[in-house]
Amino acid sequence: MLAMIKILLWRALALLTLALGMIGVVVPGLPTVPFLLLSAWAGTHGWPRLEHWLLNHPRYGFSIRQWREHGAVSRRAKVAATLMMALSVLLITLSAAPLLVKISVPAFLSVTLIWLWKRPEPGGHE
């Protein structure tokens, strides 16, 4: 019984993150591949058929496999993430957000960008 509940929870997480990824396909600024990475990871634990489908998806499978095998992120994804983070910082700066938010969010995003740009790119793994 406990094993079945565990599988259902993994599947729920896989479906939730898959849905968020699909929303990201049509909503600018909402990432797609990171949610699909989470969905494939959850599928590993409770839904192997979904994981297999994601890994072999014609559009997103390559990115998921590159992340899993090499921790690689495409240059295009890095640029898109950089632009979205810059837009977020601009909007926060112009908003009525508290000073703590105006300082901590850009700091967190800066660290995230440094980490992201240090990731290898597909084809250039070490």
Side-chain angles (χ1 to χ4, degrees):
M1 180 66 167
L2 186 57
M4 182 56 109
I5 291 172
K6 203 171 167 183
I7 288 172
L8 288 175
L9 289 173
W10 282 117
R11 286 185 174 199
L13 178 61
L15 279 177
L16 173 65
T17 53
L18 178 62
L20 289 170
M22 293 300 100
I23 291 168
V25 170
V26 294
V27 175
L30 186 65
T32 298
V33 173
F35 286 118
L36 297 182
L37 288 170
L38 283 172
S39 186
W41 175 73
T44 299
H45 299 285
W47 205 342
R49 286 181 64 195
L50 176 65
E51 176 198 22
H52 181 267
W53 178 76
L54 287 168
L55 290 173
N56 294 293
H57 190 275
R59 181 172 178 133
Y60 301 108
F62 178 76
S63 297
I64 295 169
R65 289 190 309 274
Q66 287 300 302
W67 173 257
R68 280 191 169 182
E69 295 167 13
H70 308 287
V73 179
S74 72
R75 169 95 29 118
R76 181 176 177 215
K78 291 176 182 181
V79 169
T82 301
L83 293 173
M84 287 298 111
M85 288 185 203
L87 179 62
S88 297
V89 168
L90 177 65
L91 292 174
I92 288 169
T93 302
L94 298 174
S95 76
L99 183 60
L100 180 62
V101 171
K102 289 182 176 189
I103 293 171
S104 60
V105 170
F108 175 78
L109 292 179
S110 296
V111 170
T112 303
L113 276 178
I114 291 167
W115 172 84
L116 180 65
W117 280 95
K118 286 186 164 198
R119 305 302 320 148
E121 294 179 8
H125 359 280
E126 296 157 16

mmCIF file of all heavy atoms in Angstrom, residues 78 82 85 106-120:
data_model
loop_
_atom_site.group_PDB
_atom_site.id
_atom_site.type_symbol
_atom_site.label_atom_id
_atom_site.label_comp_id
_atom_site.label_asym_id
_atom_site.label_seq_id
_atom_site.Cartn_x
_atom_site.Cartn_y
_atom_site.Cartn_z
ATOM 1 N N LYS A 78 20.778 29.505 -22.297
ATOM 2 C CA LYS A 78 21.494 30.410 -21.398
ATOM 3 C C LYS A 78 21.146 31.868 -21.708
ATOM 4 O O LYS A 78 20.914 32.668 -20.795
ATOM 5 C CB LYS A 78 23.008 30.199 -21.525
ATOM 6 C CG LYS A 78 23.490 28.877 -20.973
ATOM 7 C CD LYS A 78 24.974 28.700 -21.233
ATOM 8 C CE LYS A 78 25.476 27.369 -20.748
ATOM 9 N NZ LYS A 78 26.913 27.189 -20.977
ATOM 10 N N THR A 82 19.137 34.431 -19.299
ATOM 11 C CA THR A 82 19.760 35.711 -18.952
ATOM 12 C C THR A 82 18.813 36.873 -19.225
ATOM 13 O O THR A 82 18.646 37.765 -18.388
ATOM 14 C CB THR A 82 21.074 35.899 -19.735
ATOM 15 O OG1 THR A 82 21.954 34.818 -19.409
ATOM 16 C CG2 THR A 82 21.742 37.217 -19.398
ATOM 17 N N MET A 85 15.894 36.837 -16.722
ATOM 18 C CA MET A 85 16.332 37.271 -15.394
ATOM 19 C C MET A 85 16.579 38.772 -15.382
ATOM 20 O O MET A 85 16.234 39.456 -14.413
ATOM 21 C CB MET A 85 17.579 36.505 -14.957
ATOM 22 C CG MET A 85 17.298 35.075 -14.595
ATOM 23 S SD MET A 85 18.786 34.268 -13.956
ATOM 24 C CE MET A 85 18.416 32.570 -14.270
ATOM 25 N N PRO A 106 18.025 40.138 -7.151
ATOM 26 C CA PRO A 106 19.128 40.260 -8.121
ATOM 27 C C PRO A 106 20.396 39.523 -7.688
ATOM 28 O O PRO A 106 21.093 38.946 -8.533
ATOM 29 C CB PRO A 106 19.374 41.770 -8.198
ATOM 30 C CG PRO A 106 18.075 42.379 -7.811
ATOM 31 C CD PRO A 106 17.504 41.445 -6.776
ATOM 32 N N ALA A 107 20.673 39.501 -6.398
ATOM 33 C CA ALA A 107 21.856 38.776 -5.921
ATOM 34 C C ALA A 107 21.709 37.282 -6.194
ATOM 35 O O ALA A 107 22.630 36.640 -6.713
ATOM 36 C CB ALA A 107 22.067 39.039 -4.433
ATOM 37 N N PHE A 108 20.548 36.731 -5.874
ATOM 38 C CA PHE A 108 20.284 35.310 -6.120
ATOM 39 C C PHE A 108 20.348 34.995 -7.609
ATOM 40 O O PHE A 108 20.957 34.009 -8.024
ATOM 41 C CB PHE A 108 18.921 34.914 -5.547
ATOM 42 C CG PHE A 108 18.538 33.499 -5.860
ATOM 43 C CD1 PHE A 108 19.083 32.452 -5.157
ATOM 44 C CD2 PHE A 108 17.637 33.220 -6.881
ATOM 45 C CE1 PHE A 108 18.747 31.134 -5.455
ATOM 46 C CE2 PHE A 108 17.289 31.915 -7.191
ATOM 47 C CZ PHE A 108 17.846 30.870 -6.471
ATOM 48 N N LEU A 109 19.736 35.843 -8.428
ATOM 49 C CA LEU A 109 19.743 35.616 -9.872
ATOM 50 C C LEU A 109 21.154 35.734 -10.451
ATOM 51 O O LEU A 109 21.500 35.017 -11.391
ATOM 52 C CB LEU A 109 18.777 36.572 -10.578
ATOM 53 C CG LEU A 109 17.286 36.329 -10.284
ATOM 54 C CD1 LEU A 109 16.429 37.348 -11.020
ATOM 55 C CD2 LEU A 109 16.865 34.917 -10.622
ATOM 56 N N SER A 110 21.953 36.617 -9.903
ATOM 57 C CA SER A 110 23.343 36.750 -10.365
ATOM 58 C C SER A 110 24.131 35.472 -10.104
ATOM 59 O O SER A 110 24.874 35.001 -10.975
ATOM 60 C CB SER A 110 24.029 37.927 -9.674
ATOM 61 O OG SER A 110 23.412 39.133 -10.038
ATOM 62 N N VAL A 111 23.970 34.922 -8.919
ATOM 63 C CA VAL A 111 24.648 33.659 -8.584
ATOM 64 C C VAL A 111 24.146 32.549 -9.506
ATOM 65 O O VAL A 111 24.929 31.739 -10.015
ATOM 66 C CB VAL A 111 24.428 33.295 -7.098
ATOM 67 C CG1 VAL A 111 24.906 31.887 -6.795
ATOM 68 C CG2 VAL A 111 25.119 34.307 -6.200
ATOM 69 N N THR A 112 22.847 32.527 -9.753
ATOM 70 C CA THR A 112 22.265 31.527 -10.646
ATOM 71 C C THR A 112 22.826 31.660 -12.059
ATOM 72 O O THR A 112 23.162 30.660 -12.699
ATOM 73 C CB THR A 112 20.728 31.657 -10.672
ATOM 74 O OG1 THR A 112 20.232 31.523 -9.335
ATOM 75 C CG2 THR A 112 20.097 30.605 -11.571
ATOM 76 N N LEU A 113 22.960 32.899 -12.539
ATOM 77 C CA LEU A 113 23.511 33.108 -13.885
ATOM 78 C C LEU A 113 24.960 32.667 -13.984
ATOM 79 O O LEU A 113 25.375 32.077 -14.986
ATOM 80 C CB LEU A 113 23.383 34.576 -14.290
ATOM 81 C CG LEU A 113 22.045 34.974 -14.886
ATOM 82 C CD1 LEU A 113 22.023 36.471 -15.192
ATOM 83 C CD2 LEU A 113 21.725 34.181 -16.128
ATOM 84 N N ILE A 114 25.737 32.961 -12.952
ATOM 85 C CA ILE A 114 27.145 32.523 -12.958
ATOM 86 C C ILE A 114 27.198 31.003 -13.053
ATOM 87 O O ILE A 114 27.937 30.434 -13.862
ATOM 88 C CB ILE A 114 27.892 33.042 -11.706
ATOM 89 C CG1 ILE A 114 28.055 34.562 -11.802
ATOM 90 C CG2 ILE A 114 29.243 32.337 -11.549
ATOM 91 C CD1 ILE A 114 28.498 35.214 -10.504
ATOM 92 N N TRP A 115 26.379 30.338 -12.231
ATOM 93 C CA TRP A 115 26.333 28.875 -12.268
ATOM 94 C C TRP A 115 25.904 28.392 -13.655
ATOM 95 O O TRP A 115 26.523 27.484 -14.223
ATOM 96 C CB TRP A 115 25.366 28.361 -11.197
ATOM 97 C CG TRP A 115 25.132 26.891 -11.294
ATOM 98 C CD1 TRP A 115 25.904 25.897 -10.772
ATOM 99 C CD2 TRP A 115 24.070 26.245 -11.995
ATOM 100 N NE1 TRP A 115 25.374 24.671 -11.097
ATOM 101 C CE2 TRP A 115 24.236 24.858 -11.844
ATOM 102 C CE3 TRP A 115 22.980 26.700 -12.719
ATOM 103 C CZ2 TRP A 115 23.375 23.930 -12.400
ATOM 104 C CZ3 TRP A 115 22.109 25.778 -13.278
ATOM 105 C CH2 TRP A 115 22.319 24.411 -13.114
ATOM 106 N N LEU A 116 24.859 28.999 -14.211
ATOM 107 C CA LEU A 116 24.326 28.580 -15.506
ATOM 108 C C LEU A 116 25.366 28.716 -16.613
ATOM 109 O O LEU A 116 25.562 27.804 -17.417
ATOM 110 C CB LEU A 116 23.081 29.401 -15.856
ATOM 111 C CG LEU A 116 22.407 29.080 -17.182
ATOM 112 C CD1 LEU A 116 21.847 27.660 -17.174
ATOM 113 C CD2 LEU A 116 21.306 30.082 -17.463
ATOM 114 N N TRP A 117 26.056 29.851 -16.652
ATOM 115 C CA TRP A 117 27.034 30.079 -17.718
ATOM 116 C C TRP A 117 28.288 29.223 -17.559
ATOM 117 O O TRP A 117 29.057 29.064 -18.502
ATOM 118 C CB TRP A 117 27.372 31.556 -17.851
ATOM 119 C CG TRP A 117 26.288 32.253 -18.620
ATOM 120 C CD1 TRP A 117 25.211 32.918 -18.104
ATOM 121 C CD2 TRP A 117 26.146 32.325 -20.040
ATOM 122 N NE1 TRP A 117 24.406 33.395 -19.114
ATOM 123 C CE2 TRP A 117 24.965 33.050 -20.319
ATOM 124 C CE3 TRP A 117 26.895 31.848 -21.107
ATOM 125 C CZ2 TRP A 117 24.521 33.294 -21.615
ATOM 126 C CZ3 TRP A 117 26.462 32.100 -22.403
ATOM 127 C CH2 TRP A 117 25.289 32.814 -22.649
ATOM 128 N N LYS A 118 28.490 28.645 -16.382
ATOM 129 C CA LYS A 118 29.615 27.720 -16.187
ATOM 130 C C LYS A 118 29.277 26.299 -16.627
ATOM 131 O O LYS A 118 30.172 25.466 -16.721
ATOM 132 C CB LYS A 118 30.044 27.711 -14.721
ATOM 133 C CG LYS A 118 30.790 28.965 -14.325
ATOM 134 C CD LYS A 118 31.319 28.834 -12.924
ATOM 135 C CE LYS A 118 32.376 29.890 -12.692
ATOM 136 N NZ LYS A 118 33.217 29.580 -11.556
ATOM 137 N N ARG A 119 28.008 26.039 -16.897
ATOM 138 C CA ARG A 119 27.593 24.717 -17.376
ATOM 139 C C ARG A 119 28.142 24.515 -18.785
ATOM 140 O O ARG A 119 28.176 25.447 -19.593
ATOM 141 C CB ARG A 119 26.068 24.563 -17.425
ATOM 142 C CG ARG A 119 25.313 24.855 -16.136
ATOM 143 C CD ARG A 119 25.702 24.019 -14.936
ATOM 144 N NE ARG A 119 25.944 22.643 -15.227
ATOM 145 C CZ ARG A 119 26.839 21.868 -14.569
ATOM 146 N NH1 ARG A 119 27.560 22.381 -13.607
ATOM 147 N NH2 ARG A 119 27.019 20.624 -14.885
ATOM 148 N N PRO A 120 28.550 23.284 -19.108
ATOM 149 C CA PRO A 120 29.013 23.028 -20.478
ATOM 150 C C PRO A 120 27.859 23.151 -21.471
ATOM 151 O O PRO A 120 26.687 23.085 -21.075
ATOM 152 C CB PRO A 120 29.528 21.581 -20.418
ATOM 153 C CG PRO A 120 28.871 20.982 -19.228
ATOM 154 C CD PRO A 120 28.599 22.094 -18.268
#
